[in-house]
Amino acid sequence: MKKLLTLFLAVYSLLLFSQDRKEIGNSLIKALLVDKNIEKAHSYFDPSIAGQIPVEQLKAITEQLQGQLGGLKNILEVNNEGSIYYYYTEFEKTKLDVQLTFGENNKMLGFFLVPHKTFEKPDEKTTLKIKSDAIELNGTLLVPPSNDKKKLVIFVHGSGAHDRDETIGENKPFKDIAEYLLNNGIASYRYDKRTYSYPETFNEKSTVEEETINDAVNAALYFKNNADYKGYQIIILGHSQGAYMMPEIAKKAQVSKYVFMAGNARPLQNLIVEQYEYLHTLDSAKVPAEAVQEVKNQVAYLNSSNFNLNSPAKELPLGQSAAYWQYLKNYNQLNEVKKIKAPMFFAQGGRDYQVTEKDLNLWKNELKNDKTAVFKFYPVLSHLFIAGSGKPSPKDYETKGKVDEQFLKDLTQFILQ
C-alpha cells in the first residue's frame, strides 16, 4: 500500500492524474482524525518533520486535540494559497481551519489548527449551474457587457480533480484565458470538474466518459439548446486530457470549433513511461530507478494479453481501474480526429515535458489535408502555457505566472475568424 501511495504522489508531478494536494490533505485528515490510523498519517509528513515527531508523540497530540475539540464531523470547504491549504473543518465543539503546508514532493511540512480564514467567493452574478446527468456542474459564465462577438467558449480540464480555473499552485490558466477572451468580446463557461465537486461519483467502473466527456457534452448542449444563446458559435477548448478526449467530445457535441491545448496524440500509457524516465534524469532521489521500472512493468502488463476487466488497479498505471484503462485502450484519438468536420486549433508548448512536440507533429501529420486546421508551437511555454526558462521540471507549476499573451492573441484570432 505504501508503495502504491508513493507511485501516486510521483505521478501527480507528471500528469496530475493521481490525487491532487486537496485529496492528499483529505486523506491525511481522515487517517489522523477519523480512522485513528496514526502510522498512515505519519507517512504523509516530510522526513524532516516526521523525524521530529515520532508516531507515539503524534498519537498523543491527536488524542489531546480531540479531547479539546471533539470528534471531526465534516470538512466544510477547502481553499489554498499556493502550497498552503486550509480545510475548514467542523468538530463537535467548534469550527477551525486545518492548515496544511505541502513541500515540493507533496509531503507535509506543516500541520496547524487556526481560526477560519475567509476566501473570495465566486461572483453570484456570473455563477451558472448546468445539469449534467445526475449532478449539477458548478460554473462561471462570462458574457461581454458590450461588443459581444456572439462566440462562447466552453473549457474542458486536464486530468485530476480541477476547479473551474484549473488551479495548479498559484496559477489559474482557465481564468487567465476566460478573462482575456471577455475583454475581446468572447463569452465563456468554465466549471468545476466532476471529480472536484463530486468525487464520490467516480468509482472502479468509471471511465473518462464519466470523468470528462459527458459533462463537456452536456455543457455544450445546454448552450446550443438555450434560446438566450441563439446565434452564438460554440467553441470547446480542451487542455491536456480535455484535448486528448476532444475527438470523442466533438462526436457528441457537434459545435462550431475546437481548441486542443497540449493534447497527447500518443497512448497515455506510453507518455507515463516517458515522463517517469524524464523525471528520473532530473532527480533520481525523488523518482528512483525502481519507480521507473515499476511503472514500466505496469504498462507492459496493461499492453499484454493478460490484461482484462478483472485486473486489479494496483497492477495498472496510475492506480486506475481496469475499466478506465480498457476504455483508453479502445480509443484512438488520431483515427477519431479525422472525423471532425469543423475548424481546429492545436497549440503546444516547447517546455512541456508531459505532452511534447512529438504529439503536435502527429496531429499535424494526421490532418495534413485539412486546410482548416491550425497548428502553433510556442518554444518557451510550459504545459500550462506559461513562459519559462531552463530545463522543464515540476517546479514550473510552483512558479506563479500568467498564460502567454501571444498564445492568447492566436487563440482569439482563431475564435473570431
Side-chain angles (χ1 to χ4, degrees):
M1 186 67 188
K2 189 174 181 181
K3 190 175 183 181
L4 182 58
L5 177 62
T6 302
L7 171 63
F8 271 150
L9 297 183
V11 174
Y12 174 83
S13 297
L14 308 172
L15 265 174
L16 306 173
F17 260 87
S18 66
Q19 291 180 305
D20 64 5
R21 284 178 169 176
K22 175 185 173 184
E23 294 168 328
I24 295 169
N26 276 328
S27 298
L28 166 61
I29 292 169
K30 182 175 183 292
L32 190 64
L33 301 177
V34 178
D35 299 336
K36 310 295 194 300
N37 188 336
I38 308 301
E39 289 189 357
K40 181 179 179 182
H42 193 260
S43 70
Y44 285 87
F45 286 88
D46 186 270
S48 64
I49 303 299
Q52 299 176 36
I53 308 176
V55 171
E56 286 303 314
Q57 185 178 345
L58 182 61
K59 180 179 180 181
I61 292 171
T62 302
E63 291 172 350
Q64 183 180 3
L65 286 174
Q66 296 220 287
Q68 296 171 352
L69 306 175
L72 186 151
K73 295 177 65 177
N74 194 21
I75 294 177
L76 304 173
E77 66 181 56
V78 183
N79 299 288
N80 78 290
E81 291 177 328
S83 61
I84 302 175
Y85 280 64
Y86 300 83
Y87 295 75
Y88 187 30
T89 306
E90 181 181 9
F91 295 93
E92 289 176 342
K93 299 179 183 180
T94 189
K95 295 178 183 177
L96 291 169
D97 278 346
V98 177
Q99 178 186 312
L100 302 179
T101 303
F102 287 86
E104 62 179 25
N105 59 355
N106 283 350
K107 291 288 190 178
M108 226 58 63
L109 293 174
F111 181 103
F112 306 95
L113 292 173
V114 297
H116 177 54
K117 178 173 182 174
T118 302
F119 285 77
E120 180 184 351
K121 299 298 179 185
D123 186 348
E124 292 292 333
K125 295 178 182 177
T126 63
T127 296
L128 175 65
K129 295 179 181 290
I130 293 179
K131 183 171 173 54
S132 181
D133 301 333
I135 67 162
E136 275 192 326
L137 301 177
N138 302 307
T140 295
L141 173 67
L142 298 181
V143 179
S146 62
N147 192 33
D148 190 343
K149 305 293 187 182
K150 301 293 183 182
K151 316 279 187 181
L152 188 145
V153 176
I154 296 168
F155 291 84
V156 185
H157 325 72
S159 54
H162 285 295
D163 65 14
R164 67 195 70 184
D165 297 331
E166 208 181 36
T167 302
I168 300 175
E170 294 187 69
N171 298 302
K172 297 178 180 290
F174 277 6
K175 184 179 181 183
D176 290 350
I177 298 170
E179 291 179 348
Y180 186 92
L181 295 179
L182 180 68
N183 291 332
N184 284 272
I186 300 168
S188 66
Y189 181 69
R190 61 191 197 274
Y191 54 89
D192 297 333
K193 197 172 177 182
R194 174 184 293 256
T195 48
Y196 178 89
S197 299
Y198 308 95
E200 70 281 0
T201 66
F202 199 78
N203 55 49
E204 70 279 357
K205 296 180 181 178
S206 300
T207 70
V208 285
E209 281 196 323
E210 290 80 17
E211 182 187 9
T212 295
I213 296 169
N214 294 347
D215 293 336
V217 171
N218 288 333
L221 295 179
Y222 171 88
F223 290 104
K224 286 179 68 176
N225 298 325
N226 190 320
D228 291 341
Y229 300 94
K230 185 177 181 180
Y232 276 73
Q233 275 195 347
I234 307 300
I235 299 100
I236 300 180
L237 180 154
H239 177 230
S240 196
Q241 185 189 62
Y244 174 31
M245 290 296 121
M246 190 67 78
E248 197 63 27
I249 294 169
K251 187 187 301 184
K252 300 176 181 180
Q254 296 292 312
V255 300
S256 299
K257 294 179 180 179
Y258 302 93
V259 178
F260 296 64
M261 291 176 60
N264 55 295
R266 293 171 288 164
L268 174 62
Q269 61 268 34
N270 295 359
L271 265 68
I272 294 171
V273 172
E274 183 178 283
Q275 291 156 8
Y276 259 81
E277 290 175 336
Y278 177 78
L279 286 188
H280 175 67
T281 65
L282 287 182
D283 191 336
S284 59
K286 290 182 180 176
V287 183
E290 294 79 9
V292 177
Q293 188 58 51
E294 182 176 10
V295 81
K296 284 183 176 179
N297 293 342
Q298 291 172 331
V299 169
Y301 174 71
L302 173 65
N303 290 335
S304 75
S305 59
N306 293 324
F307 168 76
N308 60 74
L309 285 174
N310 295 317
S311 297
K314 67 182 181 180
E315 295 184 15
L316 299 171
L318 309 176
Q320 291 285 14
S321 69
Y324 190 93
W325 279 111
Q326 184 64 66
Y327 184 100
L328 294 182
K329 284 191 70 176
N330 292 337
Y331 174 62
N332 187 318
Q333 60 272 44
L334 290 177
N335 283 343
E336 297 301 323
V337 76
K338 291 182 289 188
K339 300 175 185 177
I340 297 178
K341 304 304 179 185
M344 292 174 277
F345 176 55
F346 292 80
Q348 179 63 49
R351 295 189 69 257
D352 186 345
Y353 64 85
Q354 297 177 213
V355 181
T356 71
E357 192 176 8
K358 292 179 186 176
D359 296 279
L360 181 68
N361 289 335
L362 286 169
W363 292 116
K364 188 184 294 188
N365 182 66
E366 205 63 46
L367 296 168
K368 58 180 177 286
N369 296 322
D370 186 339
K371 302 304 180 185
T372 67
V374 178
F375 301 89
K376 293 285 186 179
F377 181 70
Y378 304 90
V380 301
L381 301 191
S382 71
H383 191 62
L384 302 185
F385 286 75
I386 295 172
S389 60
K391 197 171 180 66
S393 79
K395 290 186 177 180
D396 291 339
Y397 300 115
E398 300 169 17
T399 304
K400 186 175 182 179
K402 288 283 190 180
V403 171
D404 180 70
E405 187 171 4
Q406 186 58 56
F407 162 70
L408 293 171
K409 288 179 178 178
D410 293 340
L411 172 64
T412 301
Q413 181 180 359
F414 170 77
I415 292 170
L416 293 179
Q417 69 187 11

